[in-house]
Amino acid sequence: MDLSIIIVTHNSIATVRDCLASIDEHSPACSFETIVVDNASADGTPELVAERFGSVVLAVNGENVGYSRGVNQGIRRSTGERILILNPDIIVTEGSIDRLRVFMDRTPGAGIAASKLVYPDGRLQYSCRSFYTLGALLLRRTFLGKLLPRARALRDHLLLDYDHLTARKVDWVLGACMMVRREALEAVGGMDERFFLYFEDIDWCFRMKNQGWSVFYVPESVMIHKYKRSSAGSMLRKPFIIHLLSMLRYYEKWNMVFYFFRRHRGTFKSLVFVLSDLIAINAGFFAAYLIRDLLQPLFVNSLYPLAWYRFFILFYNMIFFVTFLLSGLYRIRRETVWMEELLRVVRTVLMVMVILLASTYLTRVRFYSRAVLFGHAGISVAAVWGMRWIIRAVHRELVRARFDLKRVLLVGSREEALDYSKRITASAELGLDIVGRVGPGEGSLGERKDLPGIVDRFKVQEIMILPSGLQPGATPPFAIQPGVRLIQVKVVSDLARQLGVGVRVEELAGIHLFSIERGALFLAWRVFKRATDIVTALACIPLVSIVAPVY
């Protein structure tokens, strides 16, 4: 098949009828197929297509899965060497498809080619553009664009000074009409399905250019576009909100500022948890003090004024922070089990209470209420773990919404990369985004020596070396020294099943190796660790009896 035409519809019965009719009237002079993917239309679109356009391949989704996913669904069903993606509000004109196809045939470097789009009254649509700058973004998405319609940033973004009469390379084109080369599609991949609607075309063009394919605007091919800019309406309308979310996804994926935060994600996430813990423990203290004050009739001694605790508050904040840090509670991992984290919080808070009780005894300070301290311990455990649970729950929702994905580069063979990519992407909760691979064969993003440039170009955060990438002497120095660029490197090996914990990296006489604790030693360490926890807990009992009576 020479050409596959893909149209994604959602409640667009009138426009898709005219679009399909125009394809029938001005069919390309080559073998072609038309595929319509309907996203749960309720206006009779699937029935119309089935009844009036019997040759069309129709796929009907039970729900609206979004534009990019619908396009990819159509691509998987397509067989053409060229793929023409059309919005349902496009009207094909005589010869427009053939001119686009001929241009791609004589331009082997073109990954995407787009027709010139005009309004039904013949006015030009500015459908080829440069990538957004901050100025262009402000002018396009705020009231400033109406105040400064001739601003330079806006003119450069919309290419207003280009005559739109001669074919040229551009940064990106509207997804309403774009012809894609099958070879480029296989190298770059389909549309990114994290974009429900909007910005999927910009992202696709950016990825094409990133991998050496060009995007062309072809004005000799003209199509009519019944364009309505729905995202430019009220900020409270659904299209605007979807557009805003897609824009955030795009910049979170490609912007250098966001990339800086992602590369230092461990540091920033630790800071978030530090702030959360400090808020929780201080809230716990003041809550415990207030409860003790309210229960004053139950105690013999009166409660000392809160002002007397000001130095103590500074002291316990420092103790909490240092103890939490040394206990590993700021080594944040997505895969941490909630029960494990709760037990660690309980153990660490208990250690802090032991330190505080011991310090008040050794310094012979008598005005600190043990009732406040014990109440503080209980409330702090609940508050610290509760806030951590909320933060993790919010982050899980962000990952589910395809934000904060960790961009992973695979190093290995094509077959292995495909296998591991399918297994990883099937587990969406991992929050991993496979950007591609480096290794022998087709589809590689480059050679091993190009890793630093590939990492920068694709905003990679983690390199995963597959078993086929572990050939002796094949791994470059950059891949085994990630600290230079703060890139995490992981090695996939069946040996990992046998490693467990207790792996130590060493260098002996210039030989790099890792050692693994024997099972008996590891068991002994676990017994020792549990015994230490018990002893620490029991140490509270004599300290409690030594310190002044509860008040």
Side-chain angles (χ1 to χ4, degrees):
M1 187 73 66
D2 294 323
L3 178 68
S4 296
I5 303 174
I6 297 174
I7 304 170
V8 178
T9 67
H10 175 66
N11 291 333
S12 49
I13 185 170
T15 54
V16 76
R17 178 186 59 227
D18 295 341
C19 179
L20 293 174
S22 70
I23 294 173
D24 285 348
E25 183 179 358
H26 304 295
S27 300
C30 64
S31 60
F32 75 98
E33 61 182 353
T34 304
I35 301 170
V36 172
V37 179
D38 184 79
N39 274 333
S41 292
D43 62 351
T45 297
E47 293 78 10
L48 170 81
V49 173
E51 291 175 6
R52 297 189 53 178
F53 303 94
S55 62
V56 170
V57 178
L58 177 63
V60 180
N61 293 322
E63 60 179 338
N64 187 353
V65 299
Y67 181 73
S68 56
R69 187 175 296 183
V71 168
N72 288 344
Q73 188 177 344
I75 288 174
R76 287 191 294 271
R77 301 190 63 162
S78 67
T79 59
E81 288 301 310
R82 304 284 185 270
I83 298 170
L84 177 61
I85 298 168
L86 297 178
N87 275 9
D89 55 359
I90 287 286
I91 300 297
V92 174
T93 62
E94 183 177 358
S96 57
I97 297 178
D98 287 326
R99 294 187 186 98
L100 208 56
R101 183 174 55 85
V102 169
F103 178 86
M104 291 204 78
D105 288 342
R106 68 170 186 254
T107 314
I112 292 177
S115 298
K116 176 181 179 178
L117 301 182
V118 297
Y119 290 100
D121 61 4
R123 289 181 298 114
L124 173 69
Q125 286 182 17
Y126 296 104
S127 58
C128 60
R129 303 171 185 178
S130 62
F131 290 125
Y132 278 105
T133 62
L134 179 59
L137 193 62
L138 291 173
L139 289 167
R140 287 286 289 169
R141 302 302 166 192
T142 69
F143 66 92
L144 295 176
K146 295 181 179 180
L147 296 178
L148 304 169
R150 307 296 293 178
R152 172 51 58 185
L154 190 60
R155 297 184 66 82
D156 291 343
H157 170 66
L158 295 176
L159 303 182
L160 298 181
D161 296 326
Y162 161 48
D163 60 13
H164 291 79
L165 297 176
T166 56
R168 61 169 286 181
K169 291 182 183 180
V170 295
D171 284 346
W172 65 280
V173 293
L174 290 183
C177 169
M178 49 170 54
M179 185 173 286
V180 185
R181 188 184 302 274
R182 174 74 66 174
E183 183 183 354
L185 174 66
E186 292 176 350
V188 176
M191 286 187 171
D192 189 336
E193 295 182 3
R194 79 183 73 180
F195 299 100
F196 183 86
L197 185 64
Y198 307 119
F199 276 85
E200 71 287 326
D201 43 12
I202 308 177
D203 175 78
W204 212 12
C205 291
F206 187 89
R207 288 158 52 207
M208 285 283 177
K209 293 170 74 70
N210 240 2
Q211 297 197 39
W213 295 95
S214 298
V215 177
F216 278 90
Y217 178 76
V218 187
E220 55 260 38
S221 171
V222 180
M223 295 191 188
I224 299 170
H225 186 201
K226 301 174 182 178
Y227 180 59
K228 183 179 180 181
R229 190 183 168 201
S230 58
S231 64
S234 169
M235 295 177 63
L236 299 179
R237 295 177 67 245
K238 186 176 179 180
F240 178 85
I241 295 173
I242 294 175
H243 189 276
L244 178 63
L245 290 174
S246 293
M247 181 179 69
L248 290 174
R249 286 188 177 95
Y250 177 79
Y251 281 100
E252 192 266 342
K253 182 177 180 180
W254 295 115
N255 184 262
M256 287 300 298
V257 174
F258 280 96
Y259 183 43
F260 172 82
F261 282 102
R262 288 205 311 273
R263 284 198 304 169
H264 298 80
R265 65 193 302 157
T267 300
F268 287 108
K269 287 182 178 180
S270 295
L271 289 175
V272 169
F273 277 82
V274 168
L275 181 61
S276 165
D277 291 343
L278 290 177
I279 292 173
I281 62 175
N282 282 282
F285 173 80
F286 289 108
Y289 185 91
L290 178 61
I291 293 172
R292 168 62 179 82
D293 190 33
L294 293 174
L295 298 178
Q296 175 60 42
L298 302 178
F299 294 85
V300 175
N301 298 323
S302 61
L303 184 63
Y304 286 95
L306 186 61
W308 289 31
Y309 285 83
R310 60 183 182 275
F311 294 111
F312 178 73
I313 291 172
L314 294 175
F315 176 69
Y316 82 65
N317 272 275
M318 180 186 70
I319 296 300
F320 261 106
F321 171 71
V322 173
T323 309
F324 273 45
L325 180 65
L326 295 178
S327 298
L329 282 169
Y330 297 126
R331 291 195 292 270
I332 309 303
R333 300 288 184 269
R334 289 185 181 183
E335 60 273 14
T336 300
V337 180
W338 70 268
M339 180 58 73
E340 175 188 345
E341 186 163 52
L342 176 59
L343 292 175
R344 290 170 64 192
V345 169
V346 171
R347 183 174 66 244
T348 307
V349 170
L350 186 59
M351 292 173 59
V352 171
M353 289 301 112
V354 170
I355 295 171
L356 293 177
L357 288 169
S359 64
T360 58
Y361 169 71
L362 294 175
T363 57
R364 300 187 180 277
V365 176
R366 292 291 182 267
F367 60 81
Y368 297 142
S369 168
R370 280 185 299 159
V372 173
L373 288 180
F374 291 144
H376 183 201
I379 297 174
S380 292
V381 167
V384 168
W385 182 80
M387 290 191 68
R388 282 173 168 251
W389 185 87
I390 291 173
I391 292 172
R392 290 187 182 278
V394 170
H395 186 259
R396 283 194 298 271
E397 290 303 315
L398 286 174
V399 171
R400 190 174 289 114
R402 312 303 287 165
F403 283 101
D404 193 32
L405 302 185
K406 183 183 290 185
R407 295 177 62 76
V408 179
L409 176 68
L410 304 180
V411 177
S413 67
R414 183 173 183 270
E415 293 73 20
E416 271 189 341
L418 288 173
D419 177 49
Y420 281 92
S421 294
K422 289 179 181 178
R423 292 159 65 178
I424 290 173
T425 53
S427 302
E429 69 278 2
L430 296 177
L432 302 181
D433 179 21
I434 306 298
V435 302
R437 74 171 185 93
V438 169
E442 296 181 357
S444 175
L445 298 180
E447 301 180 12
R448 296 171 187 265
K449 62 181 178 62
D450 302 323
L451 271 175
I454 294 172
V455 164
D456 288 338
R457 200 163 77 246
F458 291 91
K459 309 296 183 291
V460 173
Q461 297 163 256
E462 180 177 295
I463 296 175
M464 186 178 293
I465 303 178
L466 306 180
S468 61
L470 293 174
Q471 303 168 3
T475 304
F478 167 71
I480 59 175
Q481 296 178 4
V484 177
R485 292 175 179 265
L486 299 175
I487 300 299
Q488 187 175 13
V489 176
K490 292 183 178 179
V491 178
V492 178
S493 172
D494 287 337
L495 185 60
R497 299 179 182 179
Q498 312 300 325
L499 297 184
V501 296
V503 180
R504 185 173 71 249
V505 178
E506 299 179 88
E507 179 182 354
L508 299 176
I511 301 172
H512 292 86
L513 49 86
F514 60 81
S515 59
I516 308 168
E517 292 180 343
R518 295 176 61 86
L521 293 177
F522 176 60
L523 179 61
W525 167 250
R526 292 192 64 179
V527 171
F528 172 76
K529 190 173 183 297
R530 291 292 178 263
T532 303
D533 293 341
I534 295 172
V535 170
T536 303
L538 293 176
C540 292
I541 298 175
L543 287 171
V544 170
S545 63
I546 292 174
V547 183
V550 176
Y551 59 87

